[in-house]
Amino acid sequence: MDATTVDEQYLKIPKKFLLLSGLWPKQNHGKKYIFMCIVFLVSSTSVFVQFARVVREFTVKIIIEQLPFFISIVLMIIKESNYIVNAAKLTSLLNDLYKDCRLERAEEELSILKRYYRKGTLLASFYTINAYICSFLFIQVPWSARLINSFTSYNITAAVVVPGYYFVDEEKFNTFIIIHGSMSVLVLMVVFLACDTTYMILVQHACGLFAIAGYRFKYAIQNDSSDKNYTEYWLNETYRNVRFSIQGHQHAIRYVKQIDEAHGRYFFFCLGIVILTFSITLIRITLSSSNLDFYRDISFLLCQLIHLFVITIQGQFVIDSCNEIHEMMYESLWYKGATKVQALYVLALRRNLTPPSLSAGGLIPLNMQCFSEIVKMSISYYTVLKTT
C-alpha cells in the first residue's frame, strides 16, 4: 500500500479533522497557524466568559452549572496543546505507519494489516457519528427554545448553548451569544475528533503489527515430513524466520511505547477531568427543570462516557493483542526446531510476559477495568456531592 491509499481509505477521518484543527504534520504552515489561532481564540474566549459568570454570580448552583462546560473546553485546549507539543512524535508515528504499509509483505500479512485498519476506521466512524449527533443535540437547545417561544405561549428559558457572562445586554445580543456558543461546541468537536480518531488508528496499527508478529511466530517452522527436515539449510532458514518474527515483535513494542509517550501525560489529566465532569453532570441532570436542558445534559453525559470508553478500550486492544501473540507462539511447531530456535521462542515468550501497555502518566493502566473503576468512582463522588 502506498501513502495515498492509506490516506484515502484508512486515515480519511483523522486527517480531515487534524487539518481543521491545524495539527496535520504535512499541512501548509500558513493554514496550520490560521486554524490553530481559530481554535485557541474561540476556546479562550469561551473560557473567559464562563469564568466571568462564575466570578460575577458566585454561588454553588452556578458553579455546578458552569463547571462541566468550563472543564470540557479546558480539556480541549489540553488535547490541542498536547498534539502541538508532541508534533515531532506524532509525525514519527505517522511516518512509521506509512513505512510499514510500503514494505513488501506476504499477502496474509497485508490482509492482517488491512483488517486492523478497517477496524480502526469503523471505530472512528462510530465515534464521529456520535459526536455529530451529540453536538447537534447540544447546539439545537437555544434555537429550539426560541422557535417554541415564537410560535407558542410557552416561555422556555434556554437562551444560550454554553452559559457565560458576555458584558453586554444578553437579550439584545442573544443571537451573537448563541453563535459564539455554537462555535465553541463545533471547535470542541473538531479537536476531540482529530485527537481521538488519530489515537484509534495508531493503536490499531500497533495491534496489526502484533498480529503480524504472531503470524510469523506461528508459521516460522514449517510442518514438513520429508527426510530433509533437519538439513543445515532448513535449520538456518527456520532460525532466520524466528529472528525475523522477533524483530517484528520488537518493532510493535517500540511503536506502542511511542504512542504511550505521546499521550501518557495528557491521559492522566484527562481521566481526572472526566471523573469530575461526569460527577457534576449527573448532579446537573437531577437538578434540570427544563426538558431541553435535560436532553442537553443527557447528550453531554453520553459524550463523556463514549470519550472515556474510547480512551480506555484502546489499551484493552493492546493487551488482547499481546495475549494473542502469546497463544500463537504456543501454537507454533517450536518443538520441531533446533535447540537454538527453541531458545529464541523461550526468550520471546519471556519478553511477552511483561508486554507494553498504554497508561495515564505511567500510573494508571488503560483497560476495561479502568473504565469500570472510573465510572464507579464518578458515581461515588456524585453521591457524596449530592448529599452535601
Side-chain angles (χ1 to χ4, degrees):
M1 291 185 292
D2 56 7
T4 304
T5 303
V6 175
D7 283 346
E8 292 178 353
Q9 294 186 9
Y10 307 115
L11 284 176
K12 184 177 181 180
I13 294 175
K15 182 179 178 180
K16 178 174 67 174
F17 292 107
L18 285 172
L19 286 169
L20 289 174
S21 54
L23 298 174
W24 182 250
K26 300 178 183 179
Q27 190 173 5
N28 176 275
H29 287 288
K31 292 182 180 179
K32 178 183 290 189
Y33 294 136
I34 289 173
F35 284 120
M36 283 184 184
C37 289
I38 292 173
V39 168
F40 283 110
L41 178 63
V42 174
S43 59
S44 59
T45 52
S46 180
V47 167
F48 176 75
V49 297
Q50 291 183 67
F51 183 74
R53 181 170 182 255
V54 172
V55 173
R56 184 171 180 268
E57 308 172 23
F58 191 79
T59 62
V60 174
K61 182 180 178 181
I62 293 298
I63 293 174
I64 292 175
E65 181 180 348
Q66 200 69 59
L67 204 54
F69 305 110
F70 181 84
I71 294 179
S72 298
I73 299 294
V74 171
L75 178 58
M76 183 265 288
I77 295 174
I78 292 175
K79 280 180 178 284
E80 179 88 3
S81 302
N82 176 70
Y83 269 60
I84 292 173
V85 171
N86 293 305
K89 294 179 181 178
L90 175 62
T91 303
S92 176
L93 287 167
L94 289 173
N95 287 339
D96 287 346
L97 186 149
Y98 289 128
K99 183 179 177 181
D100 292 333
C101 292
R102 287 195 299 266
L103 291 176
E104 292 187 7
R105 300 180 181 274
E107 190 63 31
E108 292 82 2
E109 293 184 4
L110 193 60
S111 64
I112 289 172
L113 208 56
K114 288 181 178 179
R115 186 175 76 245
Y116 279 92
Y117 285 161
R118 287 193 293 269
K119 182 179 179 181
T121 303
L122 180 64
L123 290 170
S125 301
F126 169 76
Y127 191 64
T128 303
I129 292 171
N130 170 76
Y132 280 144
I133 294 173
C134 292
S135 297
F136 171 76
L137 292 174
F138 209 84
I139 291 173
Q140 59 82 33
V141 170
W143 301 107
S144 299
R146 294 183 67 178
L147 187 66
I148 293 171
N149 290 337
S150 61
F151 287 99
T152 66
S153 58
Y154 296 106
N155 186 19
I156 301 175
T157 57
V160 293
V161 179
V162 179
Y165 178 62
Y166 285 83
F167 301 92
V168 294
D169 186 347
E170 294 189 0
E171 291 186 3
K172 183 178 180 181
F173 295 93
N174 184 253
T175 301
F176 296 101
I177 291 173
I178 294 175
I179 291 173
H180 178 264
S182 302
M183 288 180 61
S184 300
V185 173
L186 292 176
V187 168
L188 181 94
M189 180 193 73
V190 167
V191 174
F192 268 65
L193 287 174
C195 299
D196 295 342
T197 56
T198 303
Y199 172 59
M200 293 178 197
I201 297 296
L202 294 177
V203 171
Q204 290 306 311
H205 178 68
C207 293
L209 294 177
F210 277 117
I212 289 172
Y215 172 83
R216 291 175 181 175
F217 275 117
K218 186 174 181 178
Y219 297 102
I221 303 176
Q222 298 298 321
N223 188 13
D224 189 356
S225 60
S226 65
D227 295 335
K228 298 180 181 180
N229 253 359
Y230 297 102
T231 62
E232 189 67 25
Y233 174 78
W234 183 86
L235 292 173
N236 291 335
E237 187 69 13
T238 301
Y239 186 73
R240 188 189 69 83
N241 290 342
V242 177
R243 286 182 58 190
F244 189 51
S245 305
I246 291 174
Q247 290 172 356
H249 188 207
Q250 291 175 335
H251 175 54
I253 291 172
R254 286 194 298 269
Y255 198 80
V256 171
K257 288 183 177 179
Q258 285 181 311
I259 296 174
D260 189 53
E261 289 173 0
H263 297 82
R265 293 188 183 91
Y266 136 69
F267 282 149
F268 182 76
F269 292 105
C270 182
L271 294 185
I273 289 173
V274 166
I275 292 172
L276 181 60
T277 53
F278 190 83
S279 303
I280 296 176
T281 305
L282 286 174
I283 295 176
R284 281 182 52 83
I285 290 174
T286 58
L287 298 176
S288 295
S289 56
S290 169
N291 289 333
L292 291 175
D293 287 339
F294 176 78
Y295 291 132
R296 179 177 65 177
D297 292 334
I298 288 292
S299 64
F300 190 40
L301 183 67
L302 180 63
C303 286
Q304 294 174 57
L305 275 174
I306 293 178
H307 177 239
L308 176 62
F309 178 77
V310 163
I311 290 175
T312 52
I313 198 174
Q314 305 306 318
Q316 188 65 49
F317 286 146
V318 173
I319 294 172
D320 293 342
S321 296
C322 292
N323 292 335
E324 288 173 6
I325 197 173
H326 210 83
E327 293 173 3
M328 285 183 153
M329 288 182 194
Y330 277 116
E331 292 173 1
S332 67
L333 302 177
W334 57 268
Y335 49 86
K336 290 191 174 184
T339 303
K340 63 179 182 179
V341 172
Q342 293 177 0
L344 289 180
Y345 271 97
V346 171
L347 291 174
L349 285 168
R350 178 64 185 86
R351 177 62 185 87
N352 208 52
L353 290 175
T354 55
S357 61
L358 298 175
S359 64
L363 300 174
I364 306 171
L366 299 177
N367 49 47
M368 293 313 295
Q369 182 180 355
C370 174
F371 174 78
S372 61
E373 291 294 332
I374 289 175
V375 172
K376 287 192 291 186
M377 190 182 300
S378 301
I379 295 174
S380 299
Y381 288 153
Y382 154 71
T383 305
V384 173
L385 290 171
K386 187 179 179 182
T387 55
T388 54

